[in-house]
Amino acid sequence: MSRQFHPIGHITEDLGKDVTLELAQIPAGRFSMGSPPSEQHRQQTESPQHIVSIPEFYLSRYPITQVQWRLVAALPAVKRELDDSPSHFTGDDRPVESVSWFDVVEFCNRLSLLTGKDYHLPSESAWEYSCRAASNTPFAFGETLNTELANYDGTAAYGAGPTGNFRQQTTRVGKFPANPYGLSDMHGNVWEWCADHWHGNYGNAPVDGSVWQDQYFFACVLRGGAWNTQAASCRSASRIWEAASEQSNHIGFRVACTLVKPASS
């Protein structure tokens, strides 16, 4: 199914040494979070479906890359040290991976100090809203997925879709088509940390797009699937958890930013 691209704005952040960070403007809106009972491979953790209102914000167009990570990791520490080259699959334009939730929070803190803006991990609801990009199908691209659209284990088909490649590694960001909000790799490549602590379902979940955290926690939310998962895990509604300290070669992240108004001339 074809879908018209939403007219969106962008911010380009200069990180130094000719490296930039591109962010897409995500429009405010409301959506139904979670999956319906009819969706193939849905899990109980994706219920109950509920309406969430999301304010306008910015989200990085791609997962944070290894070159972006190195530049920020070289900045003074805020709360913890960072390994400047943690990734298993190396390449400047590949997603940084093998980074913990604590590591990426530190990255966001350093980036905020560098830019004077509020950078943070997206809330889980903001992530799903951005991934769906006004769709209500299992994937932003429609009812199924193929390996020309995303990097995942294509040895098993989803629904009526085809089988495809299993690349067995990450791929450079932006290799595959963007969704209607201009975001690439929301399906596959690396699982992406969200700001939220893990909750087993959406009972009592916030409905205003805010982060859902507890005073005491062990695990945090991951979204989007990865190079080593099958298409079912790449669905817009799919969600898993890992210990906040976990560092694996299929886990990365992207950053969000609160709304930035252009300076008046």
Side-chain angles (χ1 to χ4, degrees):
M1 114 181 237
S2 63
R3 185 174 289 114
Q4 187 174 6
F5 274 56
H6 190 284
I8 54 176
H10 291 89
I11 287 176
T12 300
E13 198 78 81
D14 184 2
L15 300 182
K17 298 187 177 181
D18 297 321
V19 176
T20 59
L21 172 63
E22 295 181 58
L23 298 109
Q25 183 179 352
I26 308 300
R30 300 171 77 243
F31 82 113
S32 182
M33 185 176 183
S35 60
S38 59
E39 186 165 303
Q40 187 175 358
H41 295 295
R42 63 102 60 172
Q43 304 293 317
Q44 287 299 315
T45 55
E46 301 161 19
S47 64
Q49 277 191 294
H50 57 292
I51 300 298
V52 182
S53 297
I54 304 292
E56 187 173 331
F57 73 106
Y58 288 86
L59 188 65
S60 56
R61 294 192 61 197
Y62 314 105
I64 294 298
T65 64
Q66 292 172 36
V67 67
Q68 291 168 337
W69 178 270
R70 279 201 307 276
L71 285 172
V72 174
L75 298 172
V78 177
K79 292 185 177 179
R80 62 191 284 125
E81 298 298 324
L82 292 176
D83 180 350
D84 64 358
S85 299
S87 300
H88 176 78
F89 303 109
T90 57
D92 280 357
D93 293 331
R94 292 195 195 209
V96 68
E97 23 89 357
S98 304
V99 288
S100 73
W101 186 87
F102 296 115
D103 293 334
V104 303
V105 169
E106 173 70 18
F107 178 97
C108 292
N109 288 339
R110 295 189 194 186
L111 184 59
S112 296
L113 285 177
L114 174 68
T115 62
K117 303 186 180 109
D118 178 16
Y119 278 98
H120 48 269
L121 287 173
S123 70
E124 185 180 12
S125 56
W127 192 100
E128 183 174 327
Y129 174 79
S130 303
C131 180
R132 289 187 177 281
S135 68
N136 57 14
T137 47
F139 308 93
F141 302 108
E143 293 290 344
T144 190
L145 195 62
N146 66 68
T147 55
E148 297 304 307
L149 295 174
N151 179 23
Y152 64 96
D153 177 0
T155 56
Y158 182 88
T163 56
N165 298 326
F166 180 24
R167 298 175 176 89
Q168 302 185 56
Q169 59 184 307
T170 60
T171 48
R172 66 172 176 82
V173 303
K175 175 181 174 68
F176 299 98
N179 75 9
Y181 285 171
L183 304 169
S184 295
D185 294 319
M186 296 295 280
H187 303 301
N189 215 2
V190 287
W191 285 102
E192 298 182 11
W193 288 115
C194 292
D196 301 58
H197 302 158
W198 175 256
H199 298 84
N201 59 49
Y202 292 136
N204 300 315
V207 295
D208 60 356
S210 60
V211 174
W212 194 11
Q213 292 186 339
D214 302 311
Q215 182 179 1
Y216 304 104
F217 72 101
F218 163 74
C220 294
V221 174
L222 289 161
R223 287 303 205 111
W227 60 268
N228 61 348
T229 67
Q230 294 181 346
S233 294
C234 299
R235 292 174 300 113
S236 298
S238 177
R239 57 194 300 262
I240 63 168
W241 62 269
E242 276 290 0
S245 58
E246 179 69 21
Q247 297 169 308
S248 297
N249 65 12
H250 54 266
I251 296 176
F253 72 110
R254 70 183 71 213
V255 296
C257 184
T258 50
L259 184 63
V260 178
K261 298 291 187 183
S264 57
S265 55

